[in-house]
Amino acid sequence: MTNPSKIITLAVLLSCLPLPALRAQELIVPDDVLASQAQRIAAINKASASTVMVFANGGKGGGSGVLISPDGYALSNYHVVQPAGTAMKCAINDGKLYDAILVSIDPVGDVALIKLLGRDDFPYAKLEDSDKVRVGDWCFAVGNPFLLATDFNPTVTYGIVSGVHRYQYPAGTLLEYADCIQTDASINPGNSGGPLFNEKGDLIGINGRGSFEKRGRVNVGVGYAISINQIKHFMGFLRSGRILDHATLGATVSTDENGNVVVTNIAESSDAYRRGLRYGDQLLSFGGRNISTVNGFKNVLGIYPRGSRVPISFLHEGDRIDTFVRLTGVHSPEELLARIQPNRQQPEGEPMPEGQPDPPAPKEPSPQLPDIVKPFFTARRGFANYHFNKLNQDRIWDTYIDQTKPESITGDWTLRGQLGNLGDVSIVLSKTRVDAELPQGKAFAVLDNDLGQQEAPRGSGGLLVALHLWKHIQQTGIGQFGDVYYLGSMPTPKQDEKQDVLVATHSVIECRFYFSPSTGLLTSMEMYPDLGVDPCEIYFSEYESVNGRMLPRHLEVIHGDTVYGELLLKDFEFNSNGGTE
Amino acid sequence: MHRIFLAIFLFLAGISNLAQSADFSVISAGVQPKMVKVYGAGGIRGLEGYQSGFLISDQGHILTVWSYVLDTDYITVTLDDGRKFEGEIVGADPRLEVAVLKIDTEGLEHFKLGDSVGVNPGARILAFSNLFKIATGDEPNSVLHGIVAATTPLNARRGAFKTTYKGTVYILDAITNNPGAAGGALTTRKGELAGLLGKELRNSQNGTWLNYAMPINELIPAIEDIIAGKTRPRSFDDDVIRPDVPHTLKTLGVRMVPDVLSKTPPFVDSVTASSEAEKKGLRPDDLILYINDRRVDSCATLRSELELIDQIDDVTLVIQRGDDLVEIILQGE
């Protein structure tokens, strides 16, 4: 498989044998051998159907990709897609060439999501659990090495998994390959962005890098694939049309003389610091994996996008602390934009070697988009393709207001109920003020003052302002609230199902609204009065239909590590249309 | 055409059969604890400061290749479980380009040299090494797969490849000989030790790189000699018997470079006219590696070893002259 000339040599050799001898051989092929062969052929056929051959710049450049959904979403490498601009031509082995549009990029992880247009029944690959891949497993790469697949039939190269959980340093570049899969299946220029499959033909990684040195830029038996599990962490973000960043803990670690991984530096502004992580603390587990080496830690950190909230366990002064920590971006958004600006060139589709300078740049400004692609692209600074962001914003918001119909209740809101078993609560949300009567006493927020300074009631992190913004975005809609964008979908500490996240900034207050994709309802919000402080978190549940409007009966309020309280709402009074609901 | 299809079919069927019969992930897991990462001299451009090795005894003996990486007083050996040890050179055979290191620990999993096997062309093999230094700490070595393409004496291409090894090698179809791979283990598909991955060799005539391994069976006698201490300078032992009239550098007609370092490399500075050394062809700038099969690593060791050889006995020197190893026998009186 890996070497056609070998097959031909063997074929020639065997064809020189007397025919009767061959016939005899034909008869003794054991059934399990035939079954095994049939299995392999089936796996290759299945895998080849979902493999995409990317052709860019009029066929002079390109690489590979793989379809992951019937409506045409496909994964590739950032360094393959970037030189192509926003639109490219993609072939699959049905013999057809499709137009494709860029959706999102992850320049640090070297991943891009594109969408092939023109079908809603594309063949697509099944995403395997790549943490189950073991060294020595058979695997095969399918793709477009040396852009050979001008007949739209991809090249298949077979090999074994040579290593798992490999960490490949950025070496001064933006790219970092963390937790990747190493294979001896031939990965050559043009294989980049293409799929690595297990022996069943299910997707375990995206090929994109190799170790090269003095032997030229061709396979030397060491190729790397981005693990599909890493991409799964980013998948919810890759549909957002954004330029994604990787994450940092805000702390550095190293191995001490006892072989423990300990904190050697920590930023006081980091969430990790607020969660109690300090210099000298021993890291036990991160992202659900035990941490025994620095590379192990970097591997886990490298597979999460900026903004993730990840479980962490550490030893602080002998006490074990298990908590969740928010990860900030490796780069500032401006820095990331600057780093991916066109400034250097590299032949397209080549696996990135170690120590490669910054990824490639388009040779020339993108030509006019083909007409079929135009409706799928909206340019906006900071986004790879804003069209897909807006698409998701509208999808989430329309589903939500369809159930809650908040826009018809434009006046003051009054919420009545109880705060846990402490006593009665009444909160009046008007245009200019929020007034609350709580078991602890009265509290208020004045809305024409600086919202970030008002943390009432004490210990809640700004519950009244948060409730105001909750009401406000429902009344104005996402169009009028302020700057709103779709972050993507991500798990939260309270929900296993990935939640769709809208980030909405009103004056300078950033809010994150989490929606359940299955119900379409708001499950939580976070209100950040300021950067570098804990948000006020509200978890909404026990939705009930009241006069045809879905309303939450249960609000849990959390600030930092403490639960402020549970609001059990008995009734909602909306002024504009009168009456109590 | 019919026959070609059948041949392809049989070929594929053969692969499938092997795929079914050998679970490489299990084999790999069994071999990895025997593999080590070796760090030493180098680190400047084009000279990697690392190579591979594997355990060959329960006393902490490690087989690796003899290279500049070992040319330092500080060799670090990292085990598969991440533990680090200082590696001590037990001995080396520059003619075979192998060296044995020892770490101060016992009872580790290891390859038993006696159980190693020969492989024939067509046999499927696995190659374990830390090529490109991809693995650090407790991360497992890289594994590549392939087949033995040919078994051939390396000296068939003498002149093309700069190596002192003149024995038989396995030529492999996998790209096993990358930076840092030297010292890695070649095993059968069942994980049995078959060979030692050699140093990177580039054909000086056509620029191609050779992927090969040295059969373990070719190396065993030398390895056993090294472990048995037969290549160790005798002068290191306390109970050594000294002859009444030993050889001296002067009587042999050899003058070494000034001994100014703690370990001055034993280079010949000059050869006395019409001496035995001159008659047998010793030359200035020759580096003396062995004297009577014992390794010499300094001018001081050379002198003390000479004191143990009776003047009536022959002195056999192995010297390095450029890229060649030359053996010179100086006759006793």
Side-chain angles (χ1 to χ4, degrees):
Chain A
M1 308 298 282
T2 48
N3 188 346
S5 68
K6 197 193 304 164
I7 299 173
I8 291 164
T9 311
L10 195 64
V12 170
L13 273 176
L14 286 174
S15 63
C16 296
L17 295 172
L19 205 54
L22 262 180
R23 289 220 169 105
Q25 294 246 337
E26 186 183 17
L27 291 174
I28 57 157
V29 177
D31 284 347
D32 58 344
V33 171
L34 292 174
S36 173
Q37 176 206 2
Q39 205 175 34
R40 178 170 301 212
I41 291 171
I44 289 176
N45 282 342
K46 177 174 88 169
S48 300
S50 63
T51 300
V52 174
M53 289 140 273
V54 181
F55 293 98
N57 296 336
K60 291 194 204 89
S64 308
V66 59
L67 285 154
I68 54 163
S69 74
D71 54 349
Y73 284 101
L75 292 167
S76 185
N77 277 144
Y78 166 66
H79 83 264
V80 168
V81 164
Q82 216 256 357
T86 47
M88 61 219 84
K89 302 278 186 189
C90 291
I92 60 175
N93 75 353
D94 67 356
K96 295 197 185 109
L97 195 61
Y98 297 89
D99 280 290
I101 185 81
L102 181 67
V103 179
S104 288
I105 54 171
D106 165 15
V108 178
D110 196 15
V111 175
L113 188 72
I114 58 175
K115 189 176 193 293
L116 274 64
L117 306 174
R119 268 175 80 175
D120 55 12
D121 61 343
F122 279 107
Y124 62 98
K126 182 185 156 205
L127 274 51
E128 193 38 89
D129 177 358
S130 56
D131 284 341
K132 288 189 182 149
V133 173
R134 295 170 304 173
V135 174
D137 283 351
W138 290 103
C139 60
F140 60 100
V142 191
N144 192 12
F146 304 111
L147 307 183
L148 289 174
T150 44
D151 64 349
F152 303 168
N153 279 306
T155 301
V156 182
T157 49
Y158 228 92
I160 63 171
V161 173
S162 300
V164 294
H165 301 306
R166 295 305 200 197
Y167 179 80
Q168 289 293 295
Y169 279 88
T173 74
L174 198 59
L175 284 184
E176 177 184 41
Y177 273 48
D179 210 38
C180 59
I181 300 168
Q182 180 195 345
T183 180
D184 71 354
S186 287
I187 306 295
N188 277 303
N191 271 112
S192 281
L196 186 71
F197 293 103
N198 66 9
E199 74 179 321
K200 289 182 191 147
D202 295 328
L203 186 61
I204 56 173
I206 298 295
N207 304 311
R209 186 167 169 171
S211 282
F212 308 111
E213 213 166 71
K214 46 213 163 199
R215 303 192 190 179
R217 300 183 50 76
V218 292
N219 171 53
V220 292
V222 185
Y224 302 100
I226 303 153
S227 77
I228 201 66
N229 280 18
Q230 170 181 329
I231 294 173
K232 282 179 190 169
H233 283 295
F234 282 79
M235 197 66 89
F237 287 51
L238 282 168
R239 301 277 183 119
S240 70
R242 294 193 301 121
I243 297 165
L244 308 180
D245 193 8
H246 281 238
T248 172
L249 181 63
T252 57
V253 298
S254 71
T255 311
D256 70 6
E257 65 273 18
N258 302 320
N260 296 325
V261 178
V262 296
V263 176
T264 50
N265 224 325
I266 182 158
E268 289 189 17
S269 60
S270 66
D271 190 43
Y273 188 86
R274 292 197 296 276
R275 299 285 75 77
L277 188 69
R278 292 292 181 275
Y279 175 86
D281 286 358
Q282 184 192 340
L283 208 52
L284 299 173
S285 83
F286 187 54
R289 269 195 229 171
N290 290 333
I291 301 299
S292 61
T293 63
V294 174
N295 268 6
F297 168 72
K298 286 181 177 174
N299 269 340
V300 182
L301 192 60
I303 63 175
Y304 285 103
R306 168 202 185 101
S308 300
R309 216 169 158 190
V310 178
I312 186 172
S313 301
F314 54 91
L315 275 184
H316 176 69
E317 292 174 357
D319 294 329
R320 182 190 170 106
I321 297 178
D322 303 288
T323 182
F324 283 82
V325 66
R326 288 184 174 83
L327 305 178
T328 49
V330 175
H331 311 88
S332 76
E334 286 302 318
E335 188 188 352
L336 192 62
L337 277 182
R339 297 281 306 256
I340 63 171
Q341 287 308 307
N343 54 0
R344 290 198 181 92
Q345 294 195 2
Q346 192 226 340
E348 294 111 63
E350 293 205 4
M352 301 299 292
E354 297 169 68
Q356 177 68 28
D358 277 3
K363 289 192 170 61
E364 55 208 40
S366 311
Q368 195 68 27
L369 292 179
D371 285 342
I372 180 175
V373 166
K374 272 184 189 159
F376 297 92
F377 182 72
T378 311
R380 179 179 275 206
R381 185 174 159 75
F383 291 85
N385 183 350
Y386 185 69
H387 169 80
F388 287 94
N389 200 276
K390 190 73 175 66
L391 202 68
N392 282 294
Q393 290 178 31
D394 293 345
R395 169 182 62 83
I396 294 161
W397 192 251
D398 290 349
T399 313
Y400 177 62
I401 61 171
D402 189 46
Q403 301 185 75
T404 55
K405 302 179 177 63
E407 278 147 329
S408 62
I409 41 181
T410 51
D412 298 349
W413 294 9
T414 305
L415 315 175
R416 293 193 193 89
Q418 288 184 307
L419 184 64
N421 49 16
L422 296 177
D424 290 342
V425 170
S426 143
I427 301 169
V428 179
L429 302 155
S430 76
K431 271 210 157 51
T432 53
R433 293 175 61 88
V434 181
D435 287 283
E437 287 182 36
L438 300 162
Q440 301 95 324
K442 291 189 178 182
F444 67 92
V446 182
L447 301 177
D448 46 9
N449 290 353
D450 183 351
L451 296 181
Q453 297 293 324
Q454 307 187 59
E455 295 181 14
R458 183 200 280 268
S460 71
L463 172 63
L464 298 187
V465 171
L467 285 173
H468 162 69
L469 294 171
W470 170 61
K471 165 183 167 255
H472 192 60
I473 196 170
Q474 298 192 75
Q475 293 187 334
T476 59
I478 52 172
Q480 320 279 305
F481 181 79
D483 183 28
V484 176
Y485 67 90
Y486 173 57
L487 184 75
S489 67
M490 60 187 276
T492 72
K494 288 193 181 267
Q495 284 103 359
D496 286 337
E497 181 194 31
K498 282 189 178 178
Q499 305 286 300
D500 276 317
V501 188
L502 292 181
V503 178
T505 306
H506 179 75
S507 57
V508 292
I509 311 287
E510 185 181 292
C511 293
R512 293 180 174 218
F513 295 98
Y514 295 76
F515 297 86
S516 159
S518 53
T519 65
L521 292 168
L522 181 72
T523 54
S524 64
M525 73 172 283
E526 293 166 350
M527 190 275 298
Y528 292 82
D530 196 359
L531 290 176
V533 302
D534 286 327
C536 172
E537 302 170 38
I538 308 176
Y539 293 86
F540 302 89
S541 59
E542 295 176 21
Y543 275 88
E544 274 179 32
S545 179
V546 183
N547 293 344
R549 194 174 273 145
M550 294 298 282
L551 294 169
R553 292 288 188 193
H554 186 273
L555 275 64
E556 185 179 12
V557 182
I558 296 177
H559 181 232
D561 299 319
T562 54
V563 177
Y564 170 76
E566 291 178 59
L567 278 173
L568 311 166
L569 298 182
K570 296 259 170 38
D571 64 28
F572 303 84
E573 186 182 312
F574 300 118
N575 254 1
S576 60
N577 56 359
T580 300
E581 294 189 354
Chain B
M1 214 44 208
H2 170 81
R3 259 178 271 180
I4 289 176
F5 275 127
L6 184 59
I8 291 171
F9 167 80
L10 287 172
F11 176 76
L12 290 173
I15 287 182
S16 310
N17 192 19
L18 289 172
Q20 264 201 341
S21 60
D23 189 343
F24 287 168
S25 60
V26 175
I27 302 301
S28 167
V31 169
Q32 291 290 359
K34 303 168 187 170
M35 300 303 302
V36 305
K37 306 161 188 97
V38 178
Y39 302 91
I44 52 169
R45 192 169 174 78
L47 293 174
E48 295 81 16
Y50 57 92
Q51 61 189 36
S52 307
F54 50 87
L55 288 150
I56 52 169
S57 84
D58 62 359
Q59 303 294 306
H61 289 102
I62 290 159
L63 181 63
T64 185
V65 295
W66 174 244
S67 79
Y68 64 83
V69 174
L70 305 182
D71 196 8
T72 167
D73 289 337
Y74 303 100
I75 296 167
T76 303
V77 173
T78 305
L79 300 183
D80 180 59
D81 62 11
R83 279 186 290 161
K84 283 181 189 161
F85 289 90
E86 194 178 321
E88 171 210 344
I89 300 177
V90 177
D93 189 331
R95 289 161 292 196
L96 299 176
E97 296 198 313
V98 297
V100 175
L101 309 178
K102 191 175 181 313
I103 56 174
D104 189 16
T105 185
E106 290 183 5
L108 297 173
E109 280 198 59
H110 60 279
F111 287 111
K112 292 188 182 70
L113 290 180
D115 294 346
S116 53
V117 296
V119 284
N120 293 315
R124 191 175 280 282
I125 49 86
L126 295 173
F128 294 80
S129 74
N130 191 20
L131 75 181
F132 293 110
K133 203 171 59 176
I134 295 165
T136 60
D138 63 357
E139 295 165 6
N141 273 333
S142 299
V143 194
L144 280 75
H145 83 295
I147 59 164
V148 177
T151 306
T152 181
L154 198 54
N155 65 5
R157 298 304 309 270
R158 212 166 172 169
F161 295 110
K162 285 184 176 174
T163 173
T164 57
Y165 180 82
K166 305 294 183 229
T168 298
V169 291
Y170 298 132
I171 306 296
L172 310 170
D173 78 338
I175 308 174
T176 49
N177 296 69
N178 271 304
L186 184 81
T187 76
T188 66
R189 63 194 175 90
K190 293 175 186 162
E192 302 154 308
L193 183 63
L196 174 73
L197 299 184
K199 292 196 269 193
E200 283 184 285
L201 284 184
R202 187 179 201 177
N203 188 316
S204 58
Q205 289 159 11
N206 60 19
T208 54
W209 298 86
L210 188 68
N211 293 301
Y212 70 104
M214 295 174 278
I216 287 294
N217 293 333
E218 298 255 336
L219 311 176
I220 285 180
I223 296 166
E224 285 174 344
D225 281 354
I226 293 169
I227 292 180
K230 288 183 186 165
T231 64
R232 193 166 172 265
R234 269 193 300 173
S235 48
F236 285 24
D237 300 332
D238 297 332
D239 53 353
V240 66
I241 301 159
R242 289 165 187 280
D244 294 337
V245 189
H247 280 288
T248 63
L249 287 167
K250 198 169 181 183
T251 55
L252 291 169
V254 184
R255 205 164 126 182
M256 304 303 291
V257 293
D259 192 0
V260 290
L261 303 170
S262 63
K263 269 189 178 181
T264 309
F267 279 104
V268 174
D269 196 33
S270 62
V271 179
T272 314
S274 62
S275 66
E276 173 69 4
E278 194 201 34
K279 271 186 251 169
K280 295 292 159 58
L282 199 67
R283 296 184 204 163
D285 292 339
D286 283 350
L287 178 65
I288 300 177
L289 298 177
Y290 277 77
I291 180 163
N292 284 5
D293 287 336
R294 293 189 183 266
R295 199 173 138 249
V296 173
D297 62 355
S298 67
C299 290
T301 313
L302 177 68
R303 284 197 182 85
S304 44
E305 282 302 297
L306 268 181
E307 286 172 12
L308 304 179
I309 304 171
D310 198 302
Q311 219 171 53
I312 60 168
D313 293 330
D314 290 353
V315 177
T316 305
L317 299 176
V318 175
I319 57 147
Q320 186 171 344
R321 184 177 291 159
D323 289 320
D324 292 324
L325 287 187
V326 181
E327 190 172 86
I328 288 175
I329 301 170
L330 307 175
Q331 270 179 349
E333 289 169 358

